[in-house]
Amino acid sequence: MGKIINTTDYLQSIVNNISREVFNYTPQLYLKKKGQDENIDVQAIASGVLITADRRYFLLTAGHVIEGRDPEDLGILVGNTFNILNGNIKYVNPYFDSVSFKTDIAIWELDENVAQSLTPTYNFLSLNQIDLHHSPLIKPQYLIVGYPWKKSKANPIKRKIKVRPFVFLTKQSQPDVYKKIKHEFHSNLILEYKQRQIKEFGSGIVKKGVNPEGISGCGVWFIPKFISTESVPEFKLVGIIIGQDQIKRNIISTRIHLVTEVLRIQFGLNIPASSITRIDIDNMS
């Protein structure tokens, strides 16, 4: 006879199973000191999502991660190896204007040899796992998985970094929040994260949540159905995290159709044009 579990335990197991899959596509991004080639010291700064299309490989992250930094100083760790992300970058500088601030995305096409160097640890998400026509719901069906930089601790003796990921199941914020924080429904997906009043999954205990700084660039994953015959239900990429509001009650993402528009226009991928909104390519670097 199989073990009977309650609803909370079941949901927790589903979130854990999906998160383990999402980790395969979600690297932490590091910054090395300028000019270092050996015995490199790195600092955790952000997160990203790896995708593939037409046998090409891309890293998605937030635009502010790229702005003001030399791309040759950014990389991903595989074991103790710092992999510099050679390739072609297109990004929106969020400091350019108010529209750019609300978009804040970066797409980095990786050289094939760089992509291959990541495969011992990571996989690349295919386009069929991206929902570019997603219609947001106010239901707890959105999973955020990223890496707060304050939770990444370096061990200089073992020359390793211990990371603690951020995994949070949440729902879309109420419609009036978009107006309050001056973001747009057609281009942003705002999600509840009341950092000072987080209810612990299972126990219901209210406590202060994790500071999410460093999850910028990670994905927002929509779970259409929790009940499934599979141990890992279907999940779709629907947004890229770009920040948190000033009162620390919401996490802001750019909707994924803006990313696919950049892939379509700037990188020439055969992707259907978005019917939701278009991106202004004039403010891209």
Side-chain angles (χ1 to χ4, degrees):
M1 183 176 179
K3 181 182 177 182
I4 298 174
I5 63 173
N6 60 37
T7 302
T8 300
D9 289 341
Y10 174 78
L11 287 176
Q12 182 70 71
S13 69
I14 293 299
V15 168
N16 289 343
N17 290 345
I18 293 176
S19 298
R20 278 192 284 269
E21 290 295 317
V22 168
F23 287 139
N24 292 324
Y25 311 111
T26 308
Q28 186 164 38
L29 305 185
Y30 294 88
L31 180 70
K32 72 177 182 68
K33 290 184 179 179
K34 193 75 178 172
Q36 281 191 328
D37 295 317
E38 297 181 1
N39 298 321
I40 294 174
D41 293 320
V42 298
Q43 172 189 357
I45 58 165
S47 305
V49 177
L50 297 168
I51 72 167
T52 184
D54 295 344
R55 298 183 181 179
R56 296 162 69 182
Y57 303 93
F58 301 87
L59 169 71
L60 312 180
T61 189
H64 68 263
V65 176
I66 308 297
E67 177 59 25
R69 294 186 169 109
D70 185 341
E72 292 190 359
D73 293 332
L74 297 171
I76 295 172
L77 287 176
V78 175
N80 289 332
T81 302
F82 181 80
N83 292 271
I84 296 173
L85 304 177
N86 296 322
N88 179 28
I89 307 171
K90 296 291 182 182
Y91 72 97
V92 175
N93 177 357
Y95 313 112
F96 184 77
D97 58 22
S98 61
V99 174
S100 302
F101 179 76
K102 299 170 189 176
T103 309
D104 192 13
I105 53 172
I107 295 92
W108 198 331
E109 182 169 12
L110 305 176
D111 289 348
E112 188 169 353
N113 62 332
V114 174
Q116 293 302 319
S117 70
L118 301 179
T119 54
T121 300
Y122 297 104
N123 295 327
F124 287 79
L125 190 78
S126 60
L127 284 180
N128 63 10
Q129 290 176 273
I130 297 175
D131 186 359
L132 66 149
H133 301 300
H134 180 67
S135 297
L137 305 174
I138 303 180
K139 293 183 178 180
Q141 293 174 251
Y142 296 95
L143 185 63
I144 305 171
V145 178
Y147 296 97
W149 62 264
K150 288 185 178 180
K151 294 296 182 181
S152 297
K153 304 296 182 182
N155 185 326
I157 298 175
K158 294 183 178 180
R159 296 197 63 79
K160 290 186 177 181
I161 297 178
K162 183 178 181 180
V163 301
R164 287 181 58 191
F166 175 92
V167 177
F168 191 69
L169 183 68
T170 187
K171 63 181 180 179
Q172 182 186 195
S173 301
Q174 294 297 320
D176 64 319
V177 171
Y178 285 80
K179 186 175 181 180
K180 286 179 182 178
I181 66 175
K182 298 180 180 179
H183 279 71
E184 306 293 339
F185 180 82
H186 60 74
S187 58
N188 296 112
L189 174 58
I190 301 174
L191 302 161
E192 285 190 0
Y193 182 65
K194 300 175 182 178
Q195 186 176 325
R196 298 181 180 90
Q197 296 176 295
I198 294 298
K199 186 178 288 188
E200 194 174 58
F201 206 155
S203 69
I205 297 172
V206 176
K207 62 180 184 179
K208 186 176 180 180
V210 172
N211 183 338
E213 290 182 6
I215 70 168
S216 288
C218 81
V220 177
W221 307 87
F222 178 68
I223 307 169
K225 295 180 181 179
F226 286 91
I227 305 298
S228 173
T229 57
E230 304 292 333
S231 60
V232 182
E234 179 185 30
F235 58 94
K236 298 278 190 175
L237 181 64
V238 296
I240 297 294
I241 298 296
I242 61 172
Q244 186 180 23
D245 67 343
Q246 291 185 345
I247 60 173
K248 300 185 184 301
R249 295 176 67 86
N250 303 279
I251 288 178
I252 305 162
S253 72
T254 297
R255 292 176 64 177
I256 201 65
H257 65 268
L258 292 181
V259 174
T260 57
E261 280 295 277
V262 176
L263 289 169
R264 183 179 69 85
I265 298 170
Q266 296 280 9
F267 292 94
L269 292 186
N270 184 21
I271 299 174
S274 171
S275 59
I276 302 171
T277 189
R278 302 295 173 88
I279 189 168
D280 181 4
I281 59 174
D282 290 336
N283 63 359
M284 298 199 72
S285 300

